[in-house]
């Protein structure tokens, strides 16, 4: 069975600053994929970034980057130059080729002006 | 279609009534998923379709819940004899790749309120 844990229910950051959201996971599979999704108040979940476990290089998408520590089973999301539009709930997810993804409980991020 | 479409967007029903929630995935996406999200919580897996077969329905919480899919098209999630505990947002997602390894495209969800 897979588990995903997000230990920070809520976080806040000042506009233009950097924030890091934490995620740890557990799986016995050697090949898997990790994701961060964003869910703004509009409710539409959007894929932010994806990491393949067999790749050591950390994924980057514009202002979003991850710190993937495979041995520690840690997958944190760093948001640089935070913008008001980044205010949302962020979910970490794990997919192990079984079809379904397992999601964490989410972190609510508020960007303050 | 351009995205995953879910209907209705909101549904209020009386306890004991049956409801049907609809999901129209992106054209060509073979995999389709249903998740439930209670207020302020994470996503709870319900069922996964590959084409019109359901290789994993382990998340359906009781026999009041059922789902079907027509080919690689529309899916319907049916909840019979609704209970107040069924109140939640029901999210549908689809994926081009069978395993979902490239991530999901989600619909906007159906907010179900059982009164």
């Amino acid at each position: 069975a897979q588990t995903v844990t997000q230990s920070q229910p809520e976080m806040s950051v000042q506009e233009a600053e950097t924030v890091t959201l934490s995620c740890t996971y557990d799986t016995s599979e050697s090949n898997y994929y990790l994701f961060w999704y964003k869910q703004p108040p509009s409710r539409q979940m959007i894929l932010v970034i994806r990491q393949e476990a067999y790749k050591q290089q950390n994924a980057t998408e514009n202002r979003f980057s991850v710190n993937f520590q495979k041995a520690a089973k840690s997958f944190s999301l760093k948001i640089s130059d935070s913008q008001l539009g980044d205010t949302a709930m962020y979910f970490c997810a794990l997919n192990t080729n079984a079809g379904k993804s397992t999601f964490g409980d989410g972190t609510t991020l508020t960007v303050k002006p | 279609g351009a995205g995953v479409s879910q209907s209705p967007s909101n549904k209020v029903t009386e306890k004991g009534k049956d409801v049907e929630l609809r999901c129209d995935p992106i054209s060509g996406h073979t995999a389709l998923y249903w998740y439930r999200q209670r207020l302020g919580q994470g996503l709870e897996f319900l069922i996964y379709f590959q084409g019109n077969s359901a290789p994993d329905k382990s998340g359906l919480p009781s026999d009041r819940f059922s789902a079907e899919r027509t080919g690689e098209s529309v899916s319907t999630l049916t909840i019979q004899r609704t209970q107040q505990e069924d109140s939640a947002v029901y999210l549908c997602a689809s994926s081009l790749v069978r395993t979902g390894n490239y991530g999901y495209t989600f619909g906007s969800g159906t907010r179900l309120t059982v009164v």
Side-chain angles (χ1 to χ4, degrees):
Chain A
Q2 288 76 236
T3 61
V4 176
T5 303
Q6 294 179 248
S7 59
Q8 305 152 314
E10 295 182 3
M11 294 191 71
S12 64
V13 63
Q14 290 296 132
E15 194 175 8
E17 295 190 346
T18 295
V19 63
T20 299
L21 309 183
S22 301
C23 172
T24 58
Y25 62 92
D26 193 23
T27 178
S28 57
E29 300 290 331
S30 58
N31 188 24
Y32 53 89
Y33 301 79
L34 293 158
F35 308 90
W36 279 97
Y37 288 88
K38 170 185 176 181
Q39 186 179 42
S42 66
R43 212 164 70 195
Q44 180 87 48
M45 292 268 284
I46 303 164
L47 178 63
V48 174
I49 199 164
R50 169 183 177 267
Q51 175 78 41
E52 300 173 10
Y54 60 86
K55 286 190 176 179
Q56 292 189 336
Q57 186 174 3
N58 289 322
T60 299
E61 287 289 340
N62 301 312
R63 297 183 295 108
F64 298 86
S65 62
V66 299
N67 184 5
F68 175 47
Q69 301 289 328
K70 190 171 184 178
K73 294 185 177 176
S74 170
F75 182 63
S76 60
L77 175 70
K78 185 171 84 171
I79 306 174
S80 304
D81 185 25
S82 297
Q83 300 176 0
L84 296 178
D86 295 334
T87 291
M89 198 160 185
Y90 287 82
F91 291 94
C92 179
L94 166 69
N95 184 292
T96 62
N97 283 322
K100 67 185 181 188
S101 288
T102 301
F103 288 79
D105 286 340
T107 296
T108 300
L109 175 68
T110 302
V111 180
K112 298 180 178 179
Chain B
V4 178
S5 177
Q6 290 189 247
S7 60
S9 57
N10 289 283
K11 175 74 176 176
V12 179
T13 190
E14 293 181 351
K15 179 181 173 181
K17 300 280 190 184
D18 297 352
V19 294
E20 282 190 355
L21 313 181
R22 177 187 169 106
C23 173
D24 203 342
I26 291 174
S27 178
H29 279 201
T30 59
L32 185 147
Y33 313 83
W34 284 98
Y35 283 81
R36 178 168 70 179
Q37 184 179 25
R38 291 202 166 102
L39 186 62
Q41 297 186 18
L43 277 66
E44 177 187 359
F45 170 77
L46 297 178
I47 188 169
Y48 152 56
F49 285 94
Q50 178 59 38
N52 64 0
S53 67
D56 189 345
K57 49 179 104 173
S58 63
L60 294 177
S62 75
D63 59 9
R64 296 187 296 105
F65 288 72
S66 63
E68 60 182 28
R69 186 180 184 195
T70 305
E72 294 188 352
S73 179
V74 173
S75 175
T76 303
L77 176 69
T78 301
I79 308 174
Q80 295 178 312
R81 305 181 303 281
T82 52
Q83 304 293 313
Q84 288 184 329
E85 69 214 37
D86 300 333
S87 294
V89 174
Y90 290 81
L91 291 169
C92 175
S94 69
S95 170
L96 180 62
V97 178
R98 176 184 61 83
T99 55
N101 287 341
Y102 288 90
Y104 298 166
T105 302
F106 280 88
S108 296
T110 294
R111 182 180 299 280
L112 175 65
T113 304
V114 182
V115 298

